[in-house]
Amino acid sequence: MSSRLSLLVDLASLLGREVDLDALLATACERIAQALHADRATIWLLDAERGDLVTRVAMLPEVPELRQPISRGIAGYVMRTGEVVRLDDAASDPRFDPSADRVTGYATRSMLVAPMREQSRDAAPIRGVVQLLNRKDGPFDDEDEKYLVALANQLARALALTTLRAADAAEPGLVMRGPLNRIVGRSEALREVYERVLLAAGTDASVLLRGETGTGKGRFARAVHVNSKRQSGPFVTVDCTTLPSLLGESELFGHERGAFTGADRRVVGKVDLAASGTLFLDEIGDLPLDIQGKLLRFLQERAYERVGGRETLRADVRVVCATHRDLRALVADGKFREDLYYRVRVVEIVLPPLRARGEAEVLALADHFADMYAARYGRPAPSIAADARARLLAHDFPGNVRELEHWIESAIVLAPDGVIRASSFPSTESAPRQAANHGVSLALGLSLEEAERRYARAVVDEHQGNKTEAAKALGIGRNTLARLLKENS
């Protein structure tokens, strides 16, 4: 009983991560079968786009995928009616369809099949079914049935938080929006990204994620972690744009008491905190040059010393880096070490901008964010009006997925009826250009920091407060711009 209770708790937490959905649900099937002493478990999902039942997420060593119409078999019957079916002799039931057994060579004897609903009430739409085959120590009983019903309902609720979320919450079935949970996208432009993420996750090689601001580098970095053998370890993020030049080494590697003024105790660094897990260095291109040598040594030897310390320490840490900058250009300019560049890009994954992913992906992401923020802000089931869809497709989103998400969040807040209209989106008209000889007035005697702040603020104003576009115009990252404005304000 304790194993069954722990399974109910674990499945929801597993589905809340950027994992390979097929691998995750295959693991769920294996654990469900173990908990109920079944020989096999299968999760059949209703493909809302094709209208049939599909399982790629099953304990099926013989075939990669099975499909069947909902008009056939016990799984189809449960999908159509919402009834739980328990059979001690499946072959004697006229509803049983032996075609799957013929394909796999498996012999089904007993069955327990339950519908997957996000709510326990009978009127709730069914997303699929969970099917158990051949109980190992006697027929399935009433307790097994009660447990499987509860488990199937929880699975349906958890799947609603993934990229398998239903296209229309009131209709049955699910829509596969991407192979990684919580990352929406099925475009050809992302195909190689998914492949490289999963291949890299199977090793401890250093990974470099490159892409424009807002393309989801942090999300994919976490996907590398949670699909690896280190998934139960910590995922520790370091924003390299915020590392102070004097204390950055301490931030990464820690310091001993008395190492510098104010160091009244030993402090462990992010490397220590990431032990047995993954260290994510975001915007690695902004890492101060004087720290790059220390990081290089760590990548080569997994060895380091705390600031002010003499003891050589080691940490079992996997390193994933991300940048929107051209590291090769930084190397040529002497701002990034060439040897470090090759160390961090053992596996390089280039994330495409949103404009390269196609119109269908823009709309799929918009629907995804609309559902997410409608639930968060208590809005009705959302819909995107035709004029709003046209506006989304007409904009090139220089801020990529992050900008699109902000558009949709804002629109949901402004849509008490749940209908997103074009008028809810921010204006994208460029501010009128001022006279050519009109510039930023900077008085003599200003510090360099204050001059930088005023110029950056003027560029932000020129772009009507859009910091993503302002950062792009300045040739710096959004985080760098935010730090510049904050530190000197």
Side-chain angles (χ1 to χ4, degrees), residues 8-276:
L8 283 169
V9 172
D10 291 348
L11 285 178
S13 62
L14 285 172
L15 283 162
R17 306 161 77 180
E18 297 85 347
V19 295
D20 179 347
L21 279 165
D22 288 349
L24 181 148
L25 292 176
T27 299
C29 283
E30 183 177 357
R31 293 193 58 189
I32 292 168
Q34 291 174 349
L36 285 102
H37 307 289
D39 185 53
R40 288 191 177 186
T42 309
I43 296 175
W44 290 91
L45 303 175
L46 177 64
D47 186 334
E49 295 176 317
R50 294 180 49 170
D52 59 357
L53 288 168
V54 59
T55 177
R56 299 203 317 271
V57 288
M59 295 172 64
L60 293 170
E62 300 86 1
V63 292
E65 175 181 291
L66 285 175
R67 283 186 177 270
Q68 71 174 54
I70 62 172
S71 60
R72 285 198 345 229
I74 301 298
Y77 177 83
V78 173
M79 183 69 221
R80 295 192 313 272
T81 66
E83 298 178 15
V84 179
V85 172
R86 192 169 87 211
L87 301 174
D88 295 339
D89 182 11
S92 65
D93 192 292
R95 298 168 297 181
F96 177 70
D97 179 9
S99 58
D101 280 4
R102 286 196 294 266
V103 171
T104 62
Y106 187 76
T108 299
R109 297 184 301 276
S110 59
M111 300 180 72
L112 177 59
V113 189
M116 297 169 57
R117 289 189 172 98
E118 293 171 29
Q119 303 173 38
S120 57
R121 57 186 175 83
D122 291 343
I126 302 172
R127 305 306 180 195
V129 301
V130 183
Q131 175 179 280
L132 299 179
L133 304 179
N134 298 353
R135 198 178 196 280
K136 296 179 180 179
D137 48 1
F140 293 106
D141 57 28
D142 291 342
E143 287 302 313
D144 294 331
E145 182 174 325
K146 291 178 183 178
Y147 177 75
L148 187 62
V149 168
L151 183 63
N153 290 340
Q154 180 168 356
L155 275 170
R157 287 191 291 270
L159 287 169
L161 304 175
T162 75
T163 54
L164 284 172
R165 189 189 65 255
D168 183 341
E171 296 296 324
L174 295 157
V175 174
M176 177 69 79
R177 289 183 169 87
L180 295 179
N181 175 26
R182 301 182 69 81
I183 297 179
V184 174
R186 294 188 297 178
S187 64
E188 189 63 31
L190 282 180
R191 187 182 300 276
E192 184 178 356
V193 173
Y194 290 135
E195 181 180 354
R196 288 197 169 212
V197 163
L198 295 177
L199 287 173
T203 74
D204 271 343
S206 298
V207 175
L208 175 64
L209 293 155
R210 284 200 304 110
E212 296 178 10
T213 298
T215 50
K217 296 185 290 293
R219 182 75 76 184
F220 279 99
R222 186 174 289 276
V224 172
H225 170 71
V226 299
N227 286 284
S228 75
K229 65 183 179 181
R230 297 177 177 271
Q231 60 183 257
S232 60
F235 180 82
V236 177
T237 298
V238 176
D239 182 354
C240 295
T241 67
T242 63
L243 285 179
S245 56
L246 296 178
L247 299 178
E249 184 181 350
S250 171
E251 180 79 6
L252 281 177
F253 302 114
H255 64 258
E256 298 290 348
R257 180 180 180 183
F260 48 81
T261 302
D264 56 355
R265 59 189 176 87
R266 170 186 284 179
V267 173
V268 299
K270 294 296 178 68
V271 165
D272 291 280
L273 297 176
S276 77

Side-chain angles (χ1 to χ4, degrees), residues 395-448:
H395 187 55
D396 65 358
F397 288 102
N400 292 293
V401 178
R402 184 181 300 148
E403 182 183 2
L404 173 60
E405 181 177 357
H406 291 166
W407 272 40
I408 299 299
E409 180 181 9
S410 175
I412 284 291
V413 171
L414 298 174
D417 59 353
V419 179
I420 295 175
R421 300 173 178 86
S423 59
S424 303
F425 294 143
S427 171
T428 56
E429 295 180 3
S430 299
R433 295 290 178 181
Q434 300 181 8
N437 63 351
H438 182 79
V440 182
S441 177
L442 297 177
L444 294 176
L446 291 176
S447 68
L448 177 60

Side-chain angles (χ1 to χ4, degrees), residues 439-462 474 481 484-485 488-489:
V440 182
S441 177
L442 297 177
L444 294 176
L446 291 176
S447 68
L448 177 60
E449 291 81 3
E450 177 63 14
E452 287 179 339
R453 185 195 70 79
R454 293 193 183 186
Y455 183 74
R457 172 52 61 191
V459 174
V460 171
D461 291 343
E462 175 71 10
L474 288 166
L481 175 61
L484 178 64
L485 297 174
N488 298 289
S489 58

